[in-house]
Amino acid sequence: MRTYWIWLFLLCVTWIFALQHASLNTAMMTPRLMGSALFFTAYFISPLLRTKPILLAMNLSLASLVASMVLWPDPLGTANPYTILVLSLIACKAAYRLPPIQAWIVGLVVILSAAAPAATHNPSLPPVYLALHTAMLAAALIAFRSSWQRGEAAEARNEALLSEYRRMKRHLASGEELARQEERAQIGREIHDSVGHKLTALMMQLEVFRMQAEGEAEVRARHLKELARESLEETRSAVKALKSNEPGGLPAIMRLIRQLEADSLIKIHFTVKHGAMSAPLTNEQSIAVYRVVQEALTNIMKHGKSREAEVTFEAPGGSVFRFEISNPSAQADTFREGFGLQSMRERIESNRGRFQVILHHDRFIVSGVLPLNLHMTQGETTR
């Protein structure tokens, strides 16, 4: 866009000087002004024809012919030196915007327009000067186009290499995750086969001892058996968590955000307020938060007007965990909950939480609140 305005500024300045030089005869002012309007009309519609090279070539050719006629020198006057500058700008635009064949056609029309006054024995710049100017301009445009094409090819190669790098990085990350899952499954099997079986055997021996004991010994045996049973339940829970394939926890969410930003897929402003990182979320709650954040960021990448989002975690008062994902919205004032938003709501509400989707000040906000298990917190603290 900036190039367009710079080009327009140069063309307007050159055209004004050219028109002043050619307008010594006031009787020709009206047709010259009408021709100026036609020339700039052709120039202004040229951006609309960028995807249609043939029409754009015809438009620029028409503009060069109109410029030659509008700035045609008076038979008794002098040659107009600014006309060659106007025609040179048209040739530059053709070389910049058109494929080679169409650009050469426009260049030929520009050369004929510049040579027309001399061919009709009207005041004109020396033919040698026109020839040298044409040769130098053509050489400069050929060099520019060659350099530009090399730059485009280099940029395409860089983009292809960057895509391949991102693919390999994702493949490596998925391989590492698979290795971690296999390692967790192996640890879980070892705990189940060793600790779990020994605790079961211990419970059986304690039960036998309790049945044979009396009085204080029987009570202590019952407490020991209960302690062994709790240890077995906690071991089973740990094994279940290790075998689970579901990602979860705030560290997993942070890995997700880092991965998305490393792949340049989205820019995320991540804010963690006091107490959020140490919030005692259950495994199911942390998985629900992870999936909601993942789904919301995916929706932003698919439907957002900009690939930028804000993610905020907080635990106000230590009794609830609150999360919010927001991004600039291109929607008007209404939206409809589709399958993705309904799945997020079900995940949060199945964990006794509240889920909310709102549009506020041109921002699309997905937020939720989950209750924290205060009993577990106190128990862990006491322990």
Side-chain angles (χ1 to χ4, degrees), residues 173-370:
S174 61
E176 291 178 351
E177 181 61 27
L178 181 61
R180 283 195 293 269
Q181 289 178 4
E182 291 178 351
E183 185 179 7
R184 288 199 299 268
Q186 178 64 26
I187 294 173
R189 283 194 296 270
E190 291 178 357
I191 293 176
H192 178 269
D193 293 343
S194 59
V195 181
H197 288 179
K198 289 180 179 177
L199 285 174
T200 303
L202 177 62
M203 287 180 58
M204 294 178 65
Q205 292 180 14
L206 287 173
E207 178 62 16
V208 172
F209 177 75
R210 186 190 66 81
M211 294 175 65
Q212 296 175 350
E214 295 179 355
E216 182 68 18
E218 192 272 342
V219 174
R220 296 189 64 180
R222 187 184 304 117
H223 287 302
L224 290 173
K225 181 188 174 186
E226 182 65 20
L227 182 60
R229 189 190 63 78
E230 292 177 356
S231 300
L232 181 60
E233 290 297 325
E234 291 180 0
T235 302
R236 287 173 176 171
S237 299
V239 171
K240 184 179 179 182
L242 284 171
K243 290 183 177 179
S244 175
N245 291 327
E246 287 277 14
L250 300 185
I253 296 173
M254 295 177 70
R255 283 200 301 272
L256 170 67
I257 292 174
R258 283 200 298 267
Q259 183 65 41
L260 293 175
E261 289 197 318
D263 292 344
S264 302
L265 298 177
I266 189 171
K267 182 178 180 181
I268 302 173
H269 303 279
F270 187 39
T271 304
V272 179
K273 297 187 177 179
H274 179 70
M277 289 299 293
S278 59
L281 289 169
T282 64
N283 191 44
E284 290 76 11
Q285 287 176 325
S286 62
I287 291 173
V289 174
Y290 177 90
R291 289 303 185 194
V292 169
V293 172
Q294 185 184 43
E295 181 69 20
L297 294 178
T298 302
N299 287 341
I300 291 172
M301 288 188 286
K302 287 182 179 177
H303 310 297
K305 71 177 185 180
S306 67
R307 290 190 172 185
E308 186 170 351
E310 293 185 2
V311 179
T312 303
F313 291 161
E314 59 181 338
S319 59
V320 296
F321 178 82
R322 184 178 181 276
F323 63 91
E324 179 179 296
I325 307 102
S326 66
N327 68 296
S329 173
Q331 304 180 41
D333 54 357
T334 59
F335 65 92
R336 184 174 61 85
E337 284 195 13
F339 178 76
L341 290 175
Q342 290 176 1
S343 298
M344 296 182 204
R345 182 182 299 280
E346 290 172 0
R347 279 184 178 275
I348 297 302
E349 291 181 349
S350 65
N351 286 280
R352 298 181 299 157
R354 296 195 309 274
F355 183 77
Q356 190 175 25
V357 183
I358 60 173
L359 274 171
H360 183 65
H361 294 307
D362 296 331
R363 293 191 70 83
F364 189 78
I365 302 174
V366 174
S367 63
V369 177
L370 289 166

